[in-house]
Amino acid sequence: MRKLSVFLYIICFIILVACKPGTSFKMPAETFMEELLERKPDSLAMILEEVANPLELPDADKADYAFWLTRIHQKQQRSLVNDTLILFTLDYYKKTASPRLPDAYLLAADQVNWSDVNIAGEIRLLEEALRIADQKSDTSMVREIGFRLVSLYEVPVNADKIRDLIAISKKYAGEKWDILTYSSIIRQFTWENELDSILKYTKQAMELAHRQNSDLEYGLVRSYVNLLNISGRSKEALAVLQDMESRMEVGNELKLDYISTWIGLGQLDSARTYINFWQPVFDRRHPVADIEIDILEMILEMYKNVIRTKEGKPAVINDLGISANRIMDKSRNKIKIDRERQYIQNKLLKDNLMLEIERGQLRQRILGILILIAALIFFYQRKILKKERSVRKAREQLHSHTIRLKENEAVISKNEELIRSLSVQLDESGELKQEIEQLVADNELLKQNNKTLQKDIEQYSRSMYQKDQELFAYETLIGENARLQERERFLTAQVIANTEVLNKLSKKSRYIDEVQWPGIIHAINQLFDGFSYRLHTDFPALTEEDVRYCCLIKLRLTTSVISTLTGISPSSVTKRKQRIKEKMNQQRRPAEIHKDRSLETDLWNY
């Protein structure tokens, strides 16, 4: 009993240690990180930023940690000044030839850009990333890096490099260029100030977008119109604008393009008409917000100054200064409001995340308690069975010795009766004396045997008394065992209530779609120690659908609820249970079959 107690204490200690939240950090799975990065970047940032000292992590974890943290900060549009650990990630990914290496180069280039260092370091990192992307023929990566490099190259210092970028863009465009390729070529020719090439490729991109019925056509047309106005071809710009208005729905922002076109054509009154169109918008604006409207007003003031200049009047600079100051003030207020909102939102997200973590820890502790209860039940039942077998054997031996003792006493009585009879018949010659002595000797031997048997009986009686005491103790344990089983059912119900996917099955019963089953089976396997895997192993005849029914029965759901969840009638559910019971009986040995026991009882105890 002492050994059993020590063993159970050890199990309790191990379980409690296992349930205690760990202090070491382990990188989550990549799929989990990608999902959080896409849906809840703030939550992922809080998880990673909780690491006290990332420099103490193993090199592999440290590299991955810096990679994900820098990506999150980039997605949140936060400063990357302090994310210098991404440079360690870059070196580590180079050594290990990681498939994330091109992305690490881009993140490192962003970090260098935020550090206000000479752009030569950023260009070097991007050029190395472009070389790797070109080796792997990664078209999307080549385009992304090309867009960034062309904005960094200076003209005419890097003219050769700009031409190399154009060549690479054409290489990956192939015979059929797409709109992104055209956009890349246009941006590259912009740095070379080749207006004719810019107009040519912008027009081709615009025509391609029109053929593809792309949403990008609207923006490309506006860019083309602005280019025509810049090059002094405002008449062509007007024709393009009018053609677009006749073909598709346009927004009010197109009126800005009309203003610059009318100014280019010298029709200043028409330009004023379009400028005055915006006056009601300014009258209705909010005194604090609407920064975009303030910017629009400043643009229109610039147009007014251009018209005044063309009419030979002096430009009014004061209005521009007032508009600029108003925009700056509102921008500062908007930043302040956004920061306050972001702080509150982050606090709520953090509180929700901590609540989820606490609920997960509670489920883990409850599962640990359930495992402990199951272990206690198993060892108690095993010890009770052992004691019962020992008591049964002692009772059998006691019964056998009692029978032998009674037989010996009968023989002694018979021998003594015979001795008395022979003693009467004994004559003086002593002819029967030897026979009488033999009988007396046999009686003595039997008496000795009886003494031995009596000692054994007394010993077994004492043993039986001790066994009875132990049985009484174990009967008490049986009662405790029953209470533990009841407690186990209660805790299991609590875990199910805290597991959303399982709680919905009984609280909000409705048909289970095929896509929902993997999550339900996974939750049941976590709760009941790989329940479906054990069923497949022990009963290969069960189909996947049979196992699903077994899982619902394991949750102690009623037949009517199961019929709702599976979309069949209650009578069909009952027939299904009978077939499952027959399949399971075919896999059992005859000694294990309990025909009178229901499938529910079998599965609840399985």
Side-chain angles (χ1 to χ4, degrees), residues 217-219 221-223 225-226 229 237-238 240-246 248-262 274 277-278 303:
E217 180 185 4
Y218 186 67
V221 169
R222 294 192 62 201
S223 297
V225 167
N226 289 327
N229 285 326
L238 180 62
V240 172
L241 287 172
Q242 291 173 340
D243 174 67
M244 184 170 66
E245 273 195 308
S246 65
M248 57 193 296
E249 293 184 5
V250 297
N252 289 331
E253 63 273 8
L254 198 68
K255 292 182 171 23
L256 294 174
D257 300 322
Y258 267 113
I259 294 172
S260 60
T261 302
W262 290 129
Y274 278 89
F277 166 82
W278 298 98
Y303 279 133

mmCIF file of all heavy atoms in Angstrom, residues 217-219 221-223 225-226 229 237-238 240-246 248-262 274 277-278 303:
data_model
loop_
_atom_site.group_PDB
_atom_site.id
_atom_site.type_symbol
_atom_site.label_atom_id
_atom_site.label_comp_id
_atom_site.label_asym_id
_atom_site.label_seq_id
_atom_site.Cartn_x
_atom_site.Cartn_y
_atom_site.Cartn_z
ATOM 1 N N GLU A 217 -7.678 49.960 -65.317
ATOM 2 C CA GLU A 217 -7.785 50.855 -66.479
ATOM 3 C C GLU A 217 -8.021 52.302 -66.033
ATOM 4 O O GLU A 217 -7.434 53.236 -66.592
ATOM 5 C CB GLU A 217 -8.928 50.388 -67.388
ATOM 6 C CG GLU A 217 -9.082 51.280 -68.621
ATOM 7 C CD GLU A 217 -10.288 50.904 -69.466
ATOM 8 O OE1 GLU A 217 -11.049 49.999 -69.057
ATOM 9 O OE2 GLU A 217 -10.479 51.531 -70.524
ATOM 10 N N TYR A 218 -8.860 52.492 -65.036
ATOM 11 C CA TYR A 218 -9.212 53.842 -64.589
ATOM 12 C C TYR A 218 -7.966 54.622 -64.174
ATOM 13 O O TYR A 218 -7.738 55.761 -64.611
ATOM 14 C CB TYR A 218 -10.204 53.728 -63.439
ATOM 15 C CG TYR A 218 -10.771 55.046 -62.969
ATOM 16 C CD1 TYR A 218 -11.606 55.789 -63.781
ATOM 17 C CD2 TYR A 218 -10.477 55.531 -61.703
ATOM 18 C CE1 TYR A 218 -12.150 56.992 -63.344
ATOM 19 C CE2 TYR A 218 -11.019 56.727 -61.253
ATOM 20 C CZ TYR A 218 -11.856 57.460 -62.073
ATOM 21 O OH TYR A 218 -12.375 58.648 -61.639
ATOM 22 N N GLY A 219 -7.115 54.019 -63.341
ATOM 23 C CA GLY A 219 -5.902 54.696 -62.900
ATOM 24 C C GLY A 219 -4.916 54.927 -64.019
ATOM 25 O O GLY A 219 -4.254 55.980 -64.087
ATOM 26 N N VAL A 221 -5.632 55.334 -67.214
ATOM 27 C CA VAL A 221 -6.134 56.413 -68.076
ATOM 28 C C VAL A 221 -5.803 57.762 -67.465
ATOM 29 O O VAL A 221 -5.349 58.687 -68.170
ATOM 30 C CB VAL A 221 -7.655 56.257 -68.279
ATOM 31 C CG1 VAL A 221 -8.245 57.511 -68.944
ATOM 32 C CG2 VAL A 221 -7.949 55.051 -69.151
ATOM 33 N N ARG A 222 -6.012 57.906 -66.167
ATOM 34 C CA ARG A 222 -5.706 59.178 -65.517
ATOM 35 C C ARG A 222 -4.213 59.504 -65.613
ATOM 36 O O ARG A 222 -3.824 60.653 -65.856
ATOM 37 C CB ARG A 222 -6.133 59.136 -64.052
ATOM 38 C CG ARG A 222 -7.638 59.037 -63.854
ATOM 39 C CD ARG A 222 -8.013 59.291 -62.419
ATOM 40 N NE ARG A 222 -7.635 60.636 -62.003
ATOM 41 C CZ ARG A 222 -7.460 61.011 -60.744
ATOM 42 N NH1 ARG A 222 -7.606 60.133 -59.772
ATOM 43 N NH2 ARG A 222 -7.134 62.261 -60.448
ATOM 44 N N SER A 223 -3.347 58.471 -65.436
ATOM 45 C CA SER A 223 -1.901 58.705 -65.577
ATOM 46 C C SER A 223 -1.565 59.137 -67.000
ATOM 47 O O SER A 223 -0.744 60.051 -67.213
ATOM 48 C CB SER A 223 -1.145 57.416 -65.239
ATOM 49 O OG SER A 223 -1.366 57.041 -63.904
ATOM 50 N N VAL A 225 -3.526 60.651 -69.143
ATOM 51 C CA VAL A 225 -4.008 62.017 -69.364
ATOM 52 C C VAL A 225 -3.031 63.025 -68.775
ATOM 53 O O VAL A 225 -2.696 64.043 -69.414
ATOM 54 C CB VAL A 225 -5.411 62.172 -68.734
ATOM 55 C CG1 VAL A 225 -5.798 63.648 -68.658
ATOM 56 C CG2 VAL A 225 -6.436 61.397 -69.544
ATOM 57 N N ASN A 226 -2.539 62.770 -67.573
ATOM 58 C CA ASN A 226 -1.570 63.686 -66.943
ATOM 59 C C ASN A 226 -0.288 63.779 -67.759
ATOM 60 O O ASN A 226 0.294 64.864 -67.910
ATOM 61 C CB ASN A 226 -1.264 63.235 -65.519
ATOM 62 C CG ASN A 226 -2.436 63.462 -64.577
ATOM 63 O OD1 ASN A 226 -3.188 64.418 -64.746
ATOM 64 N ND2 ASN A 226 -2.609 62.585 -63.590
ATOM 65 N N ASN A 229 -0.921 65.958 -70.748
ATOM 66 C CA ASN A 229 -0.944 67.370 -70.373
ATOM 67 C C ASN A 229 0.462 67.896 -70.134
ATOM 68 O O ASN A 229 0.789 69.028 -70.507
ATOM 69 C CB ASN A 229 -1.794 67.571 -69.119
ATOM 70 C CG ASN A 229 -3.281 67.487 -69.414
ATOM 71 O OD1 ASN A 229 -3.737 67.894 -70.488
ATOM 72 N ND2 ASN A 229 -4.054 66.942 -68.470
ATOM 73 N N ALA A 237 -5.498 64.642 -74.572
ATOM 74 C CA ALA A 237 -5.928 64.285 -73.213
ATOM 75 C C ALA A 237 -7.431 64.463 -73.066
ATOM 76 O O ALA A 237 -8.129 63.635 -72.457
ATOM 77 C CB ALA A 237 -5.185 65.137 -72.184
ATOM 78 N N LEU A 238 -7.976 65.573 -73.641
ATOM 79 C CA LEU A 238 -9.421 65.814 -73.563
ATOM 80 C C LEU A 238 -10.194 64.697 -74.265
ATOM 81 O O LEU A 238 -11.227 64.235 -73.769
ATOM 82 C CB LEU A 238 -9.738 67.178 -74.176
ATOM 83 C CG LEU A 238 -11.221 67.580 -74.178
ATOM 84 C CD1 LEU A 238 -11.748 67.679 -72.750
ATOM 85 C CD2 LEU A 238 -11.417 68.914 -74.925
ATOM 86 N N VAL A 240 -9.280 61.589 -74.692
ATOM 87 C CA VAL A 240 -9.202 60.365 -73.880
ATOM 88 C C VAL A 240 -10.185 60.438 -72.715
ATOM 89 O O VAL A 240 -10.892 59.469 -72.395
ATOM 90 C CB VAL A 240 -7.764 60.145 -73.369
ATOM 91 C CG1 VAL A 240 -7.713 58.986 -72.369
ATOM 92 C CG2 VAL A 240 -6.819 59.875 -74.526
ATOM 93 N N LEU A 241 -10.256 61.628 -72.046
ATOM 94 C CA LEU A 241 -11.179 61.793 -70.929
ATOM 95 C C LEU A 241 -12.627 61.630 -71.368
ATOM 96 O O LEU A 241 -13.438 60.951 -70.703
ATOM 97 C CB LEU A 241 -10.981 63.167 -70.282
ATOM 98 C CG LEU A 241 -9.715 63.362 -69.440
ATOM 99 C CD1 LEU A 241 -9.557 64.824 -69.044
ATOM 100 C CD2 LEU A 241 -9.765 62.499 -68.191
ATOM 101 N N GLN A 242 -12.983 62.242 -72.451
ATOM 102 C CA GLN A 242 -14.368 62.167 -72.943
ATOM 103 C C GLN A 242 -14.720 60.743 -73.367
ATOM 104 O O GLN A 242 -15.836 60.275 -73.136
ATOM 105 C CB GLN A 242 -14.564 63.150 -74.105
ATOM 106 C CG GLN A 242 -14.509 64.611 -73.662
ATOM 107 C CD GLN A 242 -14.538 65.586 -74.822
ATOM 108 O OE1 GLN A 242 -14.239 65.218 -75.982
ATOM 109 N NE2 GLN A 242 -14.857 66.842 -74.526
ATOM 110 N N ASP A 243 -13.748 60.042 -73.974
ATOM 111 C CA ASP A 243 -13.997 58.655 -74.371
ATOM 112 C C ASP A 243 -14.241 57.768 -73.136
ATOM 113 O O ASP A 243 -15.147 56.925 -73.142
ATOM 114 C CB ASP A 243 -12.799 58.126 -75.176
ATOM 115 C CG ASP A 243 -12.946 56.643 -75.492
ATOM 116 O OD1 ASP A 243 -13.851 56.276 -76.270
ATOM 117 O OD2 ASP A 243 -12.164 55.844 -74.922
ATOM 118 N N MET A 244 -13.443 57.985 -72.075
ATOM 119 C CA MET A 244 -13.617 57.180 -70.861
ATOM 120 C C MET A 244 -14.959 57.471 -70.203
ATOM 121 O O MET A 244 -15.639 56.559 -69.724
ATOM 122 C CB MET A 244 -12.476 57.451 -69.878
ATOM 123 C CG MET A 244 -12.549 56.559 -68.633
ATOM 124 S SD MET A 244 -11.085 56.636 -67.603
ATOM 125 C CE MET A 244 -11.171 58.317 -67.048
ATOM 126 N N GLU A 245 -15.371 58.747 -70.184
ATOM 127 C CA GLU A 245 -16.671 59.092 -69.590
ATOM 128 C C GLU A 245 -17.825 58.446 -70.335
ATOM 129 O O GLU A 245 -18.855 58.094 -69.751
ATOM 130 C CB GLU A 245 -16.855 60.608 -69.582
ATOM 131 C CG GLU A 245 -16.273 61.273 -68.359
ATOM 132 C CD GLU A 245 -16.759 62.693 -68.192
ATOM 133 O OE1 GLU A 245 -16.659 63.462 -69.158
ATOM 134 O OE2 GLU A 245 -17.242 63.015 -67.088
ATOM 135 N N SER A 246 -17.660 58.255 -71.639
ATOM 136 C CA SER A 246 -18.736 57.658 -72.437
ATOM 137 C C SER A 246 -18.806 56.145 -72.277
ATOM 138 O O SER A 246 -19.840 55.535 -72.541
ATOM 139 C CB SER A 246 -18.549 58.004 -73.921
ATOM 140 O OG SER A 246 -17.352 57.393 -74.426
ATOM 141 N N MET A 248 -17.550 54.225 -69.328
ATOM 142 C CA MET A 248 -17.578 53.645 -67.992
ATOM 143 C C MET A 248 -17.959 54.700 -66.955
ATOM 144 O O MET A 248 -17.932 55.905 -67.233
ATOM 145 C CB MET A 248 -16.204 53.044 -67.632
ATOM 146 C CG MET A 248 -15.058 54.044 -67.707
ATOM 147 S SD MET A 248 -13.429 53.283 -67.664
ATOM 148 C CE MET A 248 -13.423 52.556 -66.046
ATOM 149 N N GLU A 249 -18.341 54.212 -65.762
ATOM 150 C CA GLU A 249 -18.655 55.118 -64.666
ATOM 151 C C GLU A 249 -17.365 55.692 -64.095
ATOM 152 O O GLU A 249 -16.408 54.963 -63.867
ATOM 153 C CB GLU A 249 -19.416 54.379 -63.568
ATOM 154 C CG GLU A 249 -20.799 53.917 -63.976
ATOM 155 C CD GLU A 249 -21.535 53.282 -62.826
ATOM 156 O OE1 GLU A 249 -21.006 53.300 -61.702
ATOM 157 O OE2 GLU A 249 -22.641 52.754 -63.063
ATOM 158 N N VAL A 250 -17.356 57.006 -63.880
ATOM 159 C CA VAL A 250 -16.147 57.660 -63.383
ATOM 160 C C VAL A 250 -16.488 58.408 -62.102
ATOM 161 O O VAL A 250 -17.638 58.738 -61.828
ATOM 162 C CB VAL A 250 -15.554 58.618 -64.433
ATOM 163 C CG1 VAL A 250 -15.117 57.858 -65.661
ATOM 164 C CG2 VAL A 250 -16.574 59.700 -64.814
ATOM 165 N N GLY A 251 -15.458 58.706 -61.312
ATOM 166 C CA GLY A 251 -15.644 59.430 -60.058
ATOM 167 C C GLY A 251 -15.384 60.915 -60.232
ATOM 168 O O GLY A 251 -14.907 61.387 -61.280
ATOM 169 N N ASN A 252 -15.692 61.671 -59.189
ATOM 170 C CA ASN A 252 -15.498 63.128 -59.232
ATOM 171 C C ASN A 252 -14.035 63.519 -59.347
ATOM 172 O O ASN A 252 -13.716 64.631 -59.779
ATOM 173 C CB ASN A 252 -16.110 63.769 -57.990
ATOM 174 C CG ASN A 252 -17.634 63.732 -58.018
ATOM 175 O OD1 ASN A 252 -18.229 63.749 -59.094
ATOM 176 N ND2 ASN A 252 -18.249 63.672 -56.839
ATOM 177 N N GLU A 253 -13.139 62.572 -58.938
ATOM 178 C CA GLU A 253 -11.718 62.919 -59.018
ATOM 179 C C GLU A 253 -11.268 63.162 -60.461
ATOM 180 O O GLU A 253 -10.241 63.800 -60.705
ATOM 181 C CB GLU A 253 -10.860 61.817 -58.373
ATOM 182 C CG GLU A 253 -10.952 60.473 -59.052
ATOM 183 C CD GLU A 253 -12.094 59.645 -58.518
ATOM 184 O OE1 GLU A 253 -12.909 60.165 -57.721
ATOM 185 O OE2 GLU A 253 -12.170 58.455 -58.894
ATOM 186 N N LEU A 254 -12.053 62.667 -61.427
ATOM 187 C CA LEU A 254 -11.708 62.895 -62.832
ATOM 188 C C LEU A 254 -11.801 64.384 -63.175
ATOM 189 O O LEU A 254 -11.140 64.857 -64.115
ATOM 190 C CB LEU A 254 -12.649 62.085 -63.731
ATOM 191 C CG LEU A 254 -12.176 61.871 -65.175
ATOM 192 C CD1 LEU A 254 -10.957 60.972 -65.184
ATOM 193 C CD2 LEU A 254 -13.286 61.253 -66.023
ATOM 194 N N LYS A 255 -12.592 65.135 -62.426
ATOM 195 C CA LYS A 255 -12.726 66.569 -62.683
ATOM 196 C C LYS A 255 -11.410 67.292 -62.450
ATOM 197 O O LYS A 255 -11.153 68.342 -63.044
ATOM 198 C CB LYS A 255 -13.834 67.147 -61.800
ATOM 199 C CG LYS A 255 -15.231 66.650 -62.194
ATOM 200 C CD LYS A 255 -16.299 67.282 -61.349
ATOM 201 C CE LYS A 255 -17.709 66.990 -61.827
ATOM 202 N NZ LYS A 255 -17.934 65.825 -62.627
ATOM 203 N N LEU A 256 -10.549 66.739 -61.580
ATOM 204 C CA LEU A 256 -9.220 67.334 -61.399
ATOM 205 C C LEU A 256 -8.398 67.218 -62.671
ATOM 206 O O LEU A 256 -7.652 68.135 -63.036
ATOM 207 C CB LEU A 256 -8.500 66.640 -60.237
ATOM 208 C CG LEU A 256 -9.112 66.840 -58.842
ATOM 209 C CD1 LEU A 256 -8.388 65.974 -57.827
ATOM 210 C CD2 LEU A 256 -9.045 68.295 -58.430
ATOM 211 N N ASP A 257 -8.519 66.050 -63.350
ATOM 212 C CA ASP A 257 -7.804 65.876 -64.622
ATOM 213 C C ASP A 257 -8.362 66.829 -65.684
ATOM 214 O O ASP A 257 -7.621 67.338 -66.542
ATOM 215 C CB ASP A 257 -7.927 64.426 -65.079
ATOM 216 C CG ASP A 257 -7.346 63.453 -64.068
ATOM 217 O OD1 ASP A 257 -6.312 63.776 -63.459
ATOM 218 O OD2 ASP A 257 -7.940 62.370 -63.874
ATOM 219 N N TYR A 258 -9.685 67.071 -65.641
ATOM 220 C CA TYR A 258 -10.273 68.027 -66.580
ATOM 221 C C TYR A 258 -9.724 69.422 -66.333
ATOM 222 O O TYR A 258 -9.489 70.198 -67.274
ATOM 223 C CB TYR A 258 -11.798 68.037 -66.426
ATOM 224 C CG TYR A 258 -12.502 67.101 -67.377
ATOM 225 C CD1 TYR A 258 -13.173 65.973 -66.898
ATOM 226 C CD2 TYR A 258 -12.518 67.353 -68.760
ATOM 227 C CE1 TYR A 258 -13.822 65.120 -67.764
ATOM 228 C CE2 TYR A 258 -13.180 66.495 -69.632
ATOM 229 C CZ TYR A 258 -13.837 65.386 -69.126
ATOM 230 O OH TYR A 258 -14.476 64.538 -69.993
ATOM 231 N N ILE A 259 -9.524 69.790 -65.039
ATOM 232 C CA ILE A 259 -9.010 71.137 -64.736
ATOM 233 C C ILE A 259 -7.655 71.352 -65.392
ATOM 234 O O ILE A 259 -7.409 72.364 -66.068
ATOM 235 C CB ILE A 259 -8.918 71.333 -63.212
ATOM 236 C CG1 ILE A 259 -10.312 71.334 -62.580
ATOM 237 C CG2 ILE A 259 -8.185 72.631 -62.876
ATOM 238 C CD1 ILE A 259 -10.299 71.319 -61.058
ATOM 239 N N SER A 260 -6.725 70.380 -65.192
ATOM 240 C CA SER A 260 -5.386 70.539 -65.797
ATOM 241 C C SER A 260 -5.476 70.524 -67.319
ATOM 242 O O SER A 260 -4.703 71.222 -68.012
ATOM 243 C CB SER A 260 -4.456 69.422 -65.299
ATOM 244 O OG SER A 260 -4.970 68.158 -65.651
ATOM 245 N N THR A 261 -6.439 69.767 -67.887
ATOM 246 C CA THR A 261 -6.588 69.717 -69.360
ATOM 247 C C THR A 261 -7.111 71.040 -69.896
ATOM 248 O O THR A 261 -6.599 71.574 -70.898
ATOM 249 C CB THR A 261 -7.555 68.578 -69.734
ATOM 250 O OG1 THR A 261 -7.052 67.349 -69.215
ATOM 251 C CG2 THR A 261 -7.682 68.462 -71.253
ATOM 252 N N TRP A 262 -8.151 71.615 -69.218
ATOM 253 C CA TRP A 262 -8.681 72.899 -69.676
ATOM 254 C C TRP A 262 -7.615 73.989 -69.557
ATOM 255 O O TRP A 262 -7.515 74.864 -70.434
ATOM 256 C CB TRP A 262 -9.895 73.301 -68.847
ATOM 257 C CG TRP A 262 -11.134 72.465 -69.076
ATOM 258 C CD1 TRP A 262 -11.895 71.875 -68.134
ATOM 259 C CD2 TRP A 262 -11.749 72.164 -70.321
ATOM 260 N NE1 TRP A 262 -12.948 71.197 -68.695
ATOM 261 C CE2 TRP A 262 -12.881 71.365 -70.062
ATOM 262 C CE3 TRP A 262 -11.447 72.488 -71.662
ATOM 263 C CZ2 TRP A 262 -13.716 70.890 -71.068
ATOM 264 C CZ3 TRP A 262 -12.282 72.011 -72.670
ATOM 265 C CH2 TRP A 262 -13.398 71.220 -72.376
ATOM 266 N N TYR A 274 -14.982 73.851 -63.185
ATOM 267 C CA TYR A 274 -14.697 72.582 -62.500
ATOM 268 C C TYR A 274 -14.126 72.810 -61.092
ATOM 269 O O TYR A 274 -14.350 72.020 -60.180
ATOM 270 C CB TYR A 274 -13.714 71.754 -63.343
ATOM 271 C CG TYR A 274 -14.396 70.985 -64.445
ATOM 272 C CD1 TYR A 274 -14.586 71.566 -65.699
ATOM 273 C CD2 TYR A 274 -14.860 69.695 -64.230
ATOM 274 C CE1 TYR A 274 -15.226 70.865 -66.706
ATOM 275 C CE2 TYR A 274 -15.485 68.980 -65.244
ATOM 276 C CZ TYR A 274 -15.683 69.570 -66.479
ATOM 277 O OH TYR A 274 -16.322 68.870 -67.472
ATOM 278 N N PHE A 277 -16.946 73.500 -58.766
ATOM 279 C CA PHE A 277 -17.755 72.313 -58.482
ATOM 280 C C PHE A 277 -17.491 71.789 -57.068
ATOM 281 O O PHE A 277 -18.388 71.235 -56.410
ATOM 282 C CB PHE A 277 -17.436 71.223 -59.514
ATOM 283 C CG PHE A 277 -17.951 69.859 -59.129
ATOM 284 C CD1 PHE A 277 -19.265 69.491 -59.363
ATOM 285 C CD2 PHE A 277 -17.112 68.927 -58.504
ATOM 286 C CE1 PHE A 277 -19.736 68.236 -58.992
ATOM 287 C CE2 PHE A 277 -17.575 67.678 -58.132
ATOM 288 C CZ PHE A 277 -18.898 67.330 -58.381
ATOM 289 N N TRP A 278 -16.268 71.999 -56.559
ATOM 290 C CA TRP A 278 -15.878 71.425 -55.268
ATOM 291 C C TRP A 278 -16.266 72.298 -54.079
ATOM 292 O O TRP A 278 -16.137 71.858 -52.938
ATOM 293 C CB TRP A 278 -14.349 71.209 -55.227
ATOM 294 C CG TRP A 278 -13.868 70.244 -56.270
ATOM 295 C CD1 TRP A 278 -13.331 70.552 -57.483
ATOM 296 C CD2 TRP A 278 -13.895 68.820 -56.185
ATOM 297 N NE1 TRP A 278 -13.011 69.414 -58.171
ATOM 298 C CE2 TRP A 278 -13.359 68.325 -57.390
ATOM 299 C CE3 TRP A 278 -14.329 67.923 -55.227
ATOM 300 C CZ2 TRP A 278 -13.240 66.982 -57.649
ATOM 301 C CZ3 TRP A 278 -14.215 66.573 -55.482
ATOM 302 C CH2 TRP A 278 -13.679 66.102 -56.688
ATOM 303 N N TYR A 303 -4.128 75.255 -58.532
ATOM 304 C CA TYR A 303 -4.691 75.477 -59.872
ATOM 305 C C TYR A 303 -5.132 76.938 -60.051
ATOM 306 O O TYR A 303 -4.942 77.547 -61.126
ATOM 307 C CB TYR A 303 -5.881 74.541 -60.112
ATOM 308 C CG TYR A 303 -5.490 73.137 -60.523
ATOM 309 C CD1 TYR A 303 -6.078 72.040 -59.922
ATOM 310 C CD2 TYR A 303 -4.559 72.929 -61.538
ATOM 311 C CE1 TYR A 303 -5.728 70.737 -60.290
ATOM 312 C CE2 TYR A 303 -4.204 71.642 -61.920
ATOM 313 C CZ TYR A 303 -4.786 70.544 -61.292
ATOM 314 O OH TYR A 303 -4.434 69.287 -61.673
#
